[in-house]
Amino acid sequence: MPVPELAWTWLTAMVPLSPLLAFFSLGTVMFLHRAPSERWVARLVLGALWLSWGCAVATVFHWLSRPEAVRVIRLCPWFSSSDSSFDVTLQLDPLSATMWLLTSLLTLLIGRFSVSYLHREPGFARFFLLLSMFSSGMLLLVGGGSLDMLFVGWEWVGLASALLIGFFHERSAPLNAGLRAFGTYRLCDMGLLAGLVLLHHLTGTTEWSGAFSPHLSALPATALSLCLLLAAMGKSAQFPFSGWLPRAMEGPTPSSALFYGALSVHAGLYLLLRAAPLLEQAPVAKGALVVVGLLTAIHATVVWRVQTDVKSALAHGVLTQVGLMFVEVGLGLYTLALVHLVAHACLRCLQLLRAPSALRDVQARRAALRNTRAPSIVTAHSLLPTRFYRLALERFAVDVLFERWLVQPVLRLGHRLDGAERRWVGGLDSGASRPEVTPAPRPAESAPGSPTTGAA
């Protein structure tokens, strides 16, 4: 490879690699020296985020100057088996270039905002550790050249998300919310793992350039699409897996803005946009996308109107818009869905960052418009029955039904499988030959009346 081309290859690799190096560097310092200064932490992480954004901009401009529409960068082999090999690859095309620029820029802005927002917070260094972890995972997710690389970034982002939801671990509510999100991720990520294995068996490759080839028949394409849809529903909190997103607002406001307003909540949509050639071969999956998106948008819109705090209201607003994006993908409007994604990510990020000041703004607006007539939507709400309002306030008991009909059966199945495994292992242990152990001789008992008994 010529030297200039090699330089551009490693410049591209530095986009996800620089925050990953910051993560390991900060983690090592925190492990050896428990209290690094805020200034040192901010300089390290923000320097890595600046470098990542600069490399992303330079890489995208270099790609735009070339005639090729899709550029695959092979960095190094990951591992190989007897009949296939797995390489660490990155891919530049209009979708990944847009997401790289959006991810690196928003992560940099949130990082700079967090320096002031979390000043003198006991978990300052831990927050920036998880921020750099999320940045590297998200950049790998949207820039990976194969479904294997997306899966690595997918799990990396999910772990960072759960840890930041439980950031304030002194209280039980953030911990429970983090466990709820992590459990939902694990349940729905089975779809991504099954799709990954199925894709290997069907096509022999998971690279975006050749994985979703048009020669797949309808049944395998539909099964693979439904597996990816399950994974996207969990990551993007679509109905009925949407209960974890409002609870995720227990984390710090900057992480809520970055994860659940801007980037992480759109990861499922990015997966569907990446799998657009596959969806074209599976009309049943596209119909399921439209149904799921519409159910999520309707449910979140109704519930949003009865929320009593701004972050929960914004969380349900996010669900509404992401549900509409799912509908757009199901209808084949992929460019519109990407534009919607970028605009919505920027808007919700700003709204969630301003969430602590929103209550004061509302009070000032109401004081200024005291004698103004209420909007017509308020009159329309007053015509609805009280029972409907109560159901919306309880979110139509979706979380209760989800736990009763899905979570609890899965837990019972897990307990039964665990019990069967224990009995099976116990049977194997009991049937195995064991060496005979000769018991140690017991000490001889003294006769009554002997001098050692102390009898008179």
Side-chain angles (χ1 to χ4, degrees):
M1 182 180 299
V3 175
E5 190 66 24
L6 182 62
W8 280 111
T9 298
W10 282 106
L11 185 68
T12 306
M14 287 302 295
V15 177
L17 189 60
S18 54
L20 184 62
L21 293 176
F23 167 76
F24 283 114
S25 302
L26 182 55
T28 303
V29 172
M30 292 177 64
F31 180 76
L32 300 177
H33 181 71
R34 296 179 62 87
S37 65
E38 290 187 5
R39 178 176 297 182
W40 187 90
V41 171
R43 286 180 176 177
L44 174 66
V45 177
L46 290 183
L49 295 179
W50 271 109
L51 179 60
S52 176
W53 178 75
C55 292
V57 172
T59 301
V60 170
F61 273 102
H62 180 257
W63 166 70
L64 290 174
S65 65
R66 299 166 66 92
E68 53 191 11
V70 178
R71 183 187 181 194
V72 179
I73 301 99
R74 301 186 182 277
L75 300 179
C76 60
W78 189 359
F79 64 92
S80 60
S81 61
S82 57
D83 55 348
S84 59
S85 62
F86 304 87
D87 298 330
V88 178
T89 60
L90 300 174
Q91 177 169 313
L92 272 175
D93 55 14
L95 178 58
S96 60
T98 303
M99 294 301 298
W100 254 10
L101 293 177
L102 179 68
T103 300
S104 57
L105 179 60
L106 290 183
T107 307
L108 175 61
L109 293 177
I110 294 295
R112 182 61 190 90
F113 177 87
S114 303
V115 173
S116 302
Y117 188 87
L118 294 170
H119 178 52
R120 294 186 178 179
E121 174 69 36
F124 184 91
R126 178 161 49 91
F127 176 86
F128 279 89
L129 177 73
L130 296 175
L131 179 65
S132 57
M133 175 184 180
F134 165 79
S135 178
S136 62
M138 192 69 195
L139 289 168
L140 185 62
L141 188 155
V142 299
S146 64
L147 190 60
D148 294 318
M149 303 305 300
L150 181 141
F151 182 77
V152 174
W154 190 277
E155 297 299 320
W156 201 239
V157 167
L159 180 58
S161 172
L163 293 175
L164 274 171
I165 294 172
F167 181 79
F168 300 109
H169 53 79
E170 301 85 0
R171 298 183 286 113
S172 60
L175 293 179
N176 294 333
L179 290 175
R180 175 64 178 265
F182 192 74
T184 305
Y185 287 162
R186 298 278 68 74
L187 178 64
C188 296
D189 287 356
M190 291 190 298
L192 183 58
L193 185 59
L196 186 64
V197 175
L198 185 61
L199 191 61
H200 271 289
H201 282 282
L202 291 176
T203 64
T205 180
T206 59
E207 294 188 358
W208 303 126
S209 56
F212 302 136
S213 54
H215 66 270
L216 290 176
S217 58
L219 184 59
T222 301
L224 183 55
S225 299
L226 292 178
C227 288
L228 299 182
L229 174 60
L230 176 62
M233 289 170 61
K235 188 68 78 175
S236 294
Q238 294 297 286
F239 187 89
F241 306 107
S242 54
W244 67 266
L245 185 62
R247 294 179 174 86
M249 297 300 166
E250 292 284 352
T253 296
S255 65
S256 299
L258 183 64
F259 282 44
Y260 315 116
L263 298 178
S264 179
V265 75
H266 295 107
L269 183 68
Y270 171 81
L271 174 62
L272 296 176
L273 289 174
R274 182 58 75 185
L278 178 69
L279 294 176
E280 292 297 330
Q281 308 171 53
V284 174
K286 295 182 71 174
L289 262 175
V290 174
V291 172
V292 168
L294 284 177
L295 287 176
T296 304
I298 294 172
H299 175 263
T301 300
V302 175
V303 175
W304 164 74
R305 299 185 182 277
V306 299
Q307 295 304 304
T308 56
D309 63 285
V310 63
K311 291 184 75 173
S312 294
L314 287 174
H316 286 90
V318 169
L319 290 175
T320 302
Q321 296 300 318
V322 176
L324 293 178
M325 294 178 207
F326 269 60
V327 174
E328 292 164 359
V329 173
L331 295 177
L333 306 174
Y334 305 117
T335 303
L336 176 61
L338 180 59
V339 174
H340 195 173
L341 186 158
V342 174
H344 180 252
C346 297
L347 175 65
R348 293 302 182 190
C349 183
L350 175 61
Q351 288 180 331
L352 281 166
L353 288 179
R354 293 198 69 255
S357 305
L359 181 59
R360 183 175 180 180
D361 294 343
V362 170
Q363 291 173 345
R365 190 180 303 113
R366 287 180 178 176
L369 303 175
R370 183 177 303 174
N371 299 323
T372 305
R373 182 181 178 182
S376 57
I377 189 67
V378 176
T379 306
H381 288 172
S382 63
L383 300 177
L384 295 175
T386 307
R387 180 177 178 82
F388 186 81
Y389 177 86
R390 183 178 63 83
L391 289 174
L393 197 62
E394 296 174 354
R395 301 173 185 175
F396 295 92
V398 172
D399 292 347
V400 176
L401 296 175
F402 178 76
E403 292 184 2
R404 179 179 299 175
W405 297 105
L406 187 60
V407 176
Q408 292 182 3
V410 170
L411 288 176
R412 286 196 295 267
L413 177 62
H415 288 307
R416 290 178 181 176
L417 293 176
D418 180 67
E421 182 183 6
R422 291 178 183 274
R423 289 191 297 269
W424 180 63
V425 173
L428 292 178
D429 289 342
S430 62
S433 58
R434 298 180 179 179
E436 296 183 359
V437 180
T438 305
R442 299 179 59 186
E445 298 182 354
S446 304
S450 61
T452 58
T453 60

